[in-house]
Amino acid sequence: MVADARAVLDTVVQRFAANPGRAAKGALHHVTEALGPTDWVTGPGDDAAVLPRARGKLLAAGEALYPPFVSRDPFGAGIGAVLANVNDIAAMGGRPLGIIDTIVASAPIARSILAGLRHASELYDVPIVGGHLTVSEAEPSLSAFIVGEVTSPLLTRNVAPGQPLLVAACLDGRLREDFPFFPSFEQRAGRMRGDVELLARLAERGCCVAAKDVSMAGTLGSLAMLLEPTGTGVVVDLDRLPRPQDVALETWLDVFPAFAFLLCAAPGRSEECIVAFEERGLVCRQVGTIDDLGTLRVRLDGHETALMHQTRRATTGLASSDSLGDSGASRGGSDGQPA
């Protein structure tokens, strides 16, 4: 058992370093180089921009899908465009209002993309409210943008030592053979809107203060992004990580699940979050406690190893700001290959 744990940890370290989704986040340093230490609204790179208004706040986000993926599976790309945007709004503690798409593709591919968009919009009960279509024989492209609303934003700058780190996930489904994506659409149909809205309710109750959806960077890469703005650290207990029984741990850490979120609970309130997810048939466990050491570490069967130190190696390279007021900004990066 000990030898196996050490071997698995070695594999986890190697795969974390080589994860292409996490590596793609490094390109976000170009944003800081071009625009300065803030984004257009100001912020360190939350999953969506927070725009103040008279009553409450608006959220805005967008995703570009990887063109080869759009070519290979246009229907799945349409689903993925909605999924990625809805999850970004949920990770901010918001509720989605509507989606706009932009498509450049041949007529058959465009129809398949639109069918995927419609299917996902019905699953999440989020309308496609407009968009743009160019029929072309050029390499297909798909981007989608979402608007949501929020009253209690879950911001990465809220991450602080002493907060319980939770992982909530839907484990109903089957891992795709051709792509590291774990869909649960059939199993959760009719419940998906309520699943993502749960984060808004937890934020409004004050028992959850920050969140990040698990995306193409994998569980640990997404966690590094959650910790980066505040330079905090954590030891992740991999023995407690929710995962399907038929998916190996080292594989699951690289997977993009349809529903998986990292959450920082308010101290003393993690049980409220856990119960809320379990009442919906989802899995939620505490896997660590945020600390001030600035190092992302993992533990398995009593063995522990470091993955990265926040002050020595940035994940996104986005500059943080200490004076964000009520605004945050979105610069999510190259997630666009789900579904």
Side-chain angles (χ1 to χ4, degrees):
M1 184 67 177
V2 171
D4 288 345
R6 287 173 174 164
V8 170
L9 282 181
D10 287 343
T11 301
V12 168
V13 171
Q14 295 167 7
R15 294 181 69 148
F16 177 82
N19 183 288
R22 187 184 68 84
K25 302 296 183 181
L28 293 173
H29 73 88
H30 296 300
V31 176
T32 299
E33 292 172 359
L35 302 178
T38 65
D39 204 338
W40 286 294
V41 180
T42 68
D46 277 307
D47 286 316
V50 182
L51 308 176
R53 60 175 178 170
R55 293 183 179 180
K57 300 176 178 67
L58 284 176
L59 295 171
E63 296 286 343
L65 279 288
Y66 186 51
F69 176 64
V70 179
S71 296
R72 187 173 70 248
D73 187 359
F75 181 81
I79 294 175
V82 175
L83 161 72
N85 275 296
V86 168
N87 280 355
D88 280 348
I89 295 299
M92 296 294 295
R95 294 176 173 84
L97 295 175
I99 290 176
I100 294 174
D101 62 81
T102 62
I103 301 169
V104 177
S106 65
I109 290 179
R111 283 195 294 269
S112 186
I113 290 172
L114 289 166
L117 288 166
R118 177 177 179 175
H119 180 64
S121 74
E122 292 172 349
L123 287 174
Y124 284 104
D125 191 23
V126 182
I128 306 295
V129 296
H132 172 84
L133 170 63
T134 295
V135 175
S136 169
E137 297 302 319
E139 183 178 36
S141 65
L142 167 63
S143 296
F145 311 91
I146 191 167
V147 174
E149 58 185 354
V150 64
T151 57
S152 301
L154 299 175
L155 303 174
T156 54
R157 62 186 169 115
N158 292 340
V159 178
Q163 295 169 350
L165 174 67
L166 312 178
V167 176
C170 177
L171 304 184
D172 301 324
R174 183 175 296 278
L175 183 65
R176 279 181 62 147
E177 296 181 359
D178 62 337
F179 191 75
F181 180 69
F182 189 84
S184 51
F185 305 119
E186 294 181 6
Q187 295 80 1
R188 299 299 294 183
R191 292 177 287 176
M192 298 178 69
R193 176 66 183 238
D195 291 347
V196 294
E197 281 196 350
L198 181 55
L199 281 88
R201 296 203 300 272
L202 294 174
E204 290 159 3
R205 283 157 47 182
C207 54
C208 181
V209 299
K212 178 74 70 174
D213 65 308
V214 177
S215 62
M216 285 301 300
T219 298
L220 297 174
S222 300
L223 176 56
M225 295 173 65
L226 177 65
L227 301 173
E228 183 177 16
T230 55
T232 46
V234 71
V235 180
V236 179
D237 187 349
L238 296 178
D239 291 304
R240 293 189 55 78
L241 182 72
R243 66 179 174 90
Q245 293 183 348
D246 60 348
V247 181
L249 172 63
E250 53 269 48
T251 299
W252 180 250
L253 290 171
D254 284 339
V255 168
F256 184 165
F259 184 97
F261 292 86
L262 300 152
L263 304 98
C264 290
R269 303 191 66 179
S270 59
E271 192 61 27
E272 288 182 64
C273 296
I274 292 171
V275 169
F277 283 101
E278 290 181 344
E279 286 178 344
R280 291 197 60 83
L282 302 166
V283 181
C284 184
R285 295 177 190 153
Q286 181 173 346
V287 298
T289 302
I290 304 299
D291 60 45
D292 61 359
L293 301 179
T295 303
L296 173 55
R297 289 102 69 207
V298 289
R299 181 187 297 133
L300 182 66
D301 192 28
H303 299 277
E304 185 177 313
T305 189
L307 294 179
M308 66 178 294
H309 196 290
Q310 298 289 354
T311 61
R312 296 176 187 167
R313 183 175 63 182
T315 301
T316 68
L318 288 169
S320 62
S321 171
D322 294 327
S323 56
L324 299 179
D326 288 330
S327 296
S330 168
R331 188 57 57 179
S334 307
D335 285 351
Q337 304 178 50

